[in-house]
Amino acid sequence: MVLPVVHVTQKLTSQYFANGVRKVVIKEVKLYLSKVLVTGWSGYLGWPTTIRLLKLGHEVMGIDNNLRENLVSMSSSESATPIDDEKTRKKFANKLGKFEYRRVEMTNYYDLHQTIESFEPDYIIHLAAQPSAPYSMINNFSAYSVTQENNNRSTINLLWIMKGMKKKPVLIFASTMGVYGQPEYSIPFDGMMANNGKLEYPIPYMAGSFYHISKTVDEQNIIFATKQWGLKSVIFRQGVVFGLWTNDTELMESMTRFDFDTYFGTALNRFVAQAVIGQKMTLYGKGKQTRGFVTLEHCIQDLVSIIDRNNMQNLNPNQPEEGKPMIRNSVTDCFGLDKLVEAVMKVIPEAEFTHIENPRKEKEENDLVMEESPRPLDLQKEISYLYSALVPFREKIRKYYR
Ligand SMILES: NC(=O)c1ccc[n+]([C@@H]2O[C@H](COP(=O)([O-])OP(=O)(O)OC[C@H]3O[C@@H](n4cnc5c(N)ncnc54)[C@H](O)[C@@H]3O)[C@@H](O)[C@H]2O)c1
């Protein structure tokens, strides 16, 4: 049996008696299952992940450099949802568990090294990246300096820091199903043996943007370093994440960011935001491209399931072994974009759509087949939840589209 990783902190107080005898009293004892470093904690996925981890009893350190916030405001937009500042979020998080954050620029090796060494995480959930494909396609600066250099340097810094650590953490790397492109084969559950087992990994990757290429390079660096140095890593390939709801009602008190602009608004999120203000939903090309989608709740569940309490009983099948990179998909179901637009119109009958030229060179129509079965999803219910969550922020969304 493998014992759980448990960290204990104690708060002690002293009482002195008249005769000078000192009595030490234990005021509070806390057990933390694991210490988790969340990179990119203040982003769309980072904040809900932090909340879930704290509620499960893990200790969390979040790092971020505010890149997302800056890029969105440089694109003349802002999150539709109000975002608490770091201090307010910290206060909120500390009601749920032990949480600390630092402003760290991950491309700065020394700052990152110092932070990781002082925290000694058991797990690193690496979400920090420039995550927008359209943003990476604006010009040479957005493609390289802001996307590839930022993403690749951050990840390679992490790998070298992990190599030098005595107690090596498990790396969970947020990748994307976009690395599959529009494959002719069905995507296997563990992402490993495509083409009836003829390929060890479903490569060559078929990335469709400079952003997606940054993820394929990160993946290859992780796979190489894991094998070379005996690290433990999980490559977590997510579909397009949508929605604002998770099972943690706390997230409605301190909301995560929600972007809807051309660069940072992902497909279904952007459609619903457009419908909320009566703007036509913009469908690229014929809209027959199929992509994997995952609800915010499923994505968080999948991420934390790699760490969750099951590992106390050694029941967690998601635990990677040294030197053996593990690949996991995170997807609720696959949809053609036109099907999403139809679903929005069922919920919001006055919603309309228009076709615009597809900025990506890709097949106009494709099927995407996953070997794992889709998870139960009431798409219309999800859309109407999202719609009602966004209605109070209508004016902010309208301002951007004006
Ligand atoms: N949201 C999706 O639909 C989706 C789908 C597939 C994969 N992903 C991946 O999941 C991860 C999280 O996505 P998200 O939607 O939450 O993005 P996000 O932009 O909201 O979060 C990423 C966070 O990382 C921070 N960051 C970026 N570069 C940094 C650096 N050099 N140092 C420190 N912090 C830095 C940003 O400020 C941001 O807060 C990303 O890696 C993304 O590529 C997201």
Side-chain angles (χ1 to χ4, degrees):
M1 178 177 147
V2 173
L3 290 172
V5 186
V6 174
H7 302 270
V8 185
T9 60
Q10 296 184 350
K11 272 192 192 161
L12 306 175
T13 50
S14 301
Q15 283 177 3
Y16 289 92
F17 298 104
N19 60 4
V21 174
R22 178 173 167 238
K23 184 177 152 200
V24 175
V25 182
I26 298 176
K27 216 173 129 198
E28 186 183 78
V29 177
K30 277 193 176 167
L31 299 183
Y32 299 100
L33 290 176
S34 301
K35 294 174 84 171
V36 187
L37 180 79
V38 177
T39 79
W41 78 279
S42 60
Y44 173 54
L45 302 182
W47 182 228
T49 305
T50 299
I51 289 184
R52 179 65 54 86
L53 288 167
L54 291 170
K55 286 181 70 180
L56 287 172
H58 302 292
E59 177 183 345
V60 179
M61 154 89 74
I63 59 173
D64 208 296
N65 68 350
N66 233 14
L67 176 71
R68 170 68 169 248
E69 181 61 22
N70 294 337
L71 293 181
V72 171
S73 61
M74 277 156 60
S75 313
S76 311
S77 187
E78 60 182 317
S79 164
T81 47
I83 314 168
D84 290 333
D85 61 32
E86 289 159 333
K87 279 192 188 147
T88 314
R89 274 188 170 179
K90 176 170 156 45
K91 231 171 156 184
F92 187 84
N94 280 333
K95 285 192 228 147
L96 304 172
K98 194 169 180 201
F99 173 75
E100 195 50 72
Y101 75 88
R102 288 201 196 154
R103 274 277 175 109
V104 174
E105 170 50 71
M106 289 190 71
T107 58
N108 181 326
Y109 182 85
Y110 297 98
D111 284 356
L112 186 62
H113 191 212
Q114 221 178 24
T115 306
I116 294 179
E117 249 194 3
S118 64
F119 183 59
E120 295 188 316
D122 302 303
Y123 292 88
I124 299 175
I125 299 187
H126 179 28
L127 303 171
Q130 189 301 97
S132 158
Y135 182 86
S136 75
M137 300 302 289
I138 300 175
N139 55 32
N140 59 337
F141 185 72
S142 78
Y144 187 68
S145 307
V146 190
T147 305
Q148 295 191 343
E149 190 180 16
N150 179 65
N151 297 358
N152 297 154
R153 197 185 280 268
S154 301
T155 304
I156 213 152
N157 280 351
L158 269 184
L159 292 169
W160 277 96
I161 292 166
M162 284 170 64
K163 174 181 186 277
M165 290 172 77
K166 248 197 215 127
K167 196 183 88 189
K168 293 184 176 29
V170 176
L171 175 66
I172 301 166
F173 170 67
S175 189
T176 161
M177 280 184 60
V179 300
Y180 296 119
Q182 296 171 307
E184 301 292 337
Y185 52 80
S186 54
I187 298 173
F189 171 67
D190 61 4
M192 300 288 257
M193 303 292 284
N195 228 2
N196 295 325
K198 286 190 204 122
L199 294 172
E200 191 187 355
Y201 299 106
I203 50 175
Y205 293 107
M206 289 187 277
S209 74
F210 290 119
Y211 155 70
H212 289 101
I213 290 173
S214 81
K215 290 291 179 182
T216 66
V217 172
D218 273 345
E219 285 200 7
Q220 301 218 36
N221 285 339
I222 292 169
I223 290 167
F224 171 75
T226 301
K227 289 178 173 175
Q228 188 74 13
W229 299 329
L231 305 180
K232 289 185 183 174
S233 66
V234 182
I235 289 171
F236 184 78
R237 292 183 181 150
Q238 310 166 69
V240 181
V241 187
F242 68 93
L244 271 171
W245 301 91
T246 70
N247 291 341
D248 300 314
T249 47
E250 291 83 355
L251 197 58
M252 288 298 117
E253 292 169 49
S254 176
M255 296 182 91
T256 191
R257 64 174 310 119
F258 185 93
D259 295 299
F260 52 86
D261 60 285
T262 326
Y263 296 125
F264 293 95
T266 48
L268 185 52
N269 282 352
R270 185 166 39 86
F271 293 156
V272 178
Q274 289 171 319
V276 163
I277 57 160
Q279 163 96 16
K280 283 185 180 163
M281 296 178 275
T282 41
L283 204 48
Y284 293 151
K286 285 188 197 160
K288 298 268 178 213
Q289 312 89 318
T290 305
R291 308 246 196 270
F293 285 84
V294 57
T295 64
L296 183 58
E297 172 57 30
H298 282 160
C299 173
I300 305 301
Q301 268 177 28
D302 291 347
L303 261 180
V304 303
S305 75
I306 298 165
I307 310 178
D308 73 15
R309 284 164 200 269
N310 285 343
N311 72 14
M312 292 183 78
Q313 289 101 39
N314 197 20
L315 289 176
N316 189 338
N318 287 326
Q319 287 294 313
E321 291 170 40
E322 268 176 29
K324 290 192 179 165
M326 185 182 247
I327 299 185
R328 282 277 172 270
N329 299 309
S330 178
V331 63
T332 302
D333 205 348
C334 298
F335 298 101
L337 299 182
D338 56 345
K339 292 281 169 292
L340 295 182
V341 161
E342 270 170 33
V344 176
M345 291 195 304
K346 278 196 186 132
V347 178
I348 313 160
E350 60 280 16
E352 293 179 292
F353 70 94
T354 181
H355 291 278
I356 60 169
E357 196 188 334
N358 188 352
R360 281 196 205 175
K361 282 216 163 56
E362 59 182 356
K363 284 183 224 156
E364 277 279 2
E365 284 183 41
N366 76 298
D367 229 2
L368 192 63
V369 185
M370 307 287 298
E371 274 177 13
E372 63 247 65
S373 3
R375 283 186 269 191
L377 170 72
D378 186 337
L379 187 56
Q380 289 183 31
K381 198 164 140 194
E382 288 284 335
I383 291 171
S384 68
Y385 278 159
L386 184 53
Y387 181 78
S388 52
L390 290 181
V391 165
F393 312 117
R394 212 174 230 156
E395 279 321 304
K396 267 197 201 173
I397 302 173
R398 193 165 279 140
K399 212 165 84 191
Y400 173 77
Y401 281 103
R402 221 175 264 147

